[in-house]
Amino acid sequence: LGGKIDFVLHSIGMSPNVRKHRTYDDLDYNWLNKTLDISAISFHKMLQAAKKVDAIAEYGSVVALTYVASHRTFFGYNDMAYGREKNVRINTISQSPTETTAGKGIKDIDNMMDFADKMSPLGNATADECADYCVTLFSDLTRKVTMQTLFHDGGFSNMGMSLRAMNQYSKT
């Protein structure tokens, strides 16, 4: 005892809305914030506390347990379940690194954007191209697309190493 920690397991999750059988259209948002704090933010708080005291050993392991409901909707189970009665489509877009107001606050955003651009077979998608992609999701042409995380990143999300990136790194 007294040494560094070899592994950490985060295995806590709880939703007061689910426990109290609150439906999506009757969520208590204070309880939703508590859900996120307990189930997700606590993971980051745990890592932050461990980092401050350098508690985790080199080559240590951190594991977080989850349930498929964090990726899929189960009627009556999770806070994010939205009724199907109106056929509402809900999707998310994972966009290329983009120099937005928020993005400019990220340290070395230029290097991140350059790396992603070199790795992506089609290059980074611009903010305007992302807006165009959003329009397609708002149209009737995608009426059967729902509950997806759609990647709009020039192929970055599926690349191991592009030829452009390989050429760039072989020069150094």
Side-chain angles (χ1 to χ4, degrees):
L1 295 180
K4 294 188 184 273
I5 298 169
D6 291 322
F7 61 88
V8 177
L9 175 65
H10 181 271
S11 62
I12 185 168
M14 191 272 295
S15 170
N17 281 307
V18 171
R19 285 188 171 197
K20 303 287 186 184
H21 305 288
R22 298 288 289 263
T23 58
Y24 181 80
D25 56 352
D26 189 36
L27 287 183
D28 179 311
Y29 284 95
N30 289 323
W31 289 351
L32 178 60
N33 284 333
K34 184 166 284 298
T35 296
L36 296 173
D37 188 53
I38 292 168
S39 303
I41 297 170
S42 63
F43 177 77
H44 299 284
K45 288 178 179 178
M46 176 191 70
L47 287 177
Q48 181 183 46
K51 186 175 189 289
K52 282 182 180 179
V53 296
D54 192 27
I56 301 175
E58 187 172 353
Y59 295 102
S61 180
V62 177
V63 174
L65 296 183
T66 188
Y67 176 61
V68 71
S70 66
H71 301 280
R72 295 183 179 183
T73 300
F74 287 82
F75 177 78
Y77 179 77
N78 57 9
D79 294 322
M80 300 304 178
Y82 185 72
R84 294 181 51 182
E85 66 274 3
K86 294 188 80 175
N87 296 311
V88 174
R89 297 169 289 148
I90 300 173
N91 295 291
T92 59
I93 295 174
S94 178
Q95 167 66 6
S96 296
T98 309
E99 193 171 334
T100 60
T101 302
K104 289 178 184 175
I106 298 171
K107 183 181 178 186
D108 294 326
I109 186 69
D110 293 335
N111 292 333
M112 182 186 300
M113 290 176 63
D114 182 61
F115 175 77
D117 190 57
K118 285 183 172 60
M119 286 293 293
S120 304
L122 301 178
N124 285 340
T126 67
D128 285 342
E129 290 168 329
C130 184
D132 291 343
Y133 192 44
C134 289
V135 169
T136 68
L137 291 173
F138 297 145
S139 80
D140 288 341
L141 296 174
T142 57
R143 73 176 59 84
K144 295 294 184 182
V145 178
T146 191
M147 301 175 73
Q148 301 296 315
T149 297
L150 302 160
F151 294 93
H152 188 256
D153 60 5
F156 177 80
S157 55
N158 285 299
M159 287 301 296
M161 177 63 88
S162 71
L163 180 59
R164 286 189 297 170
M166 184 78 80
N167 289 337
Q168 174 70 30
Y169 295 109
S170 66
K171 291 178 186 176
T172 58

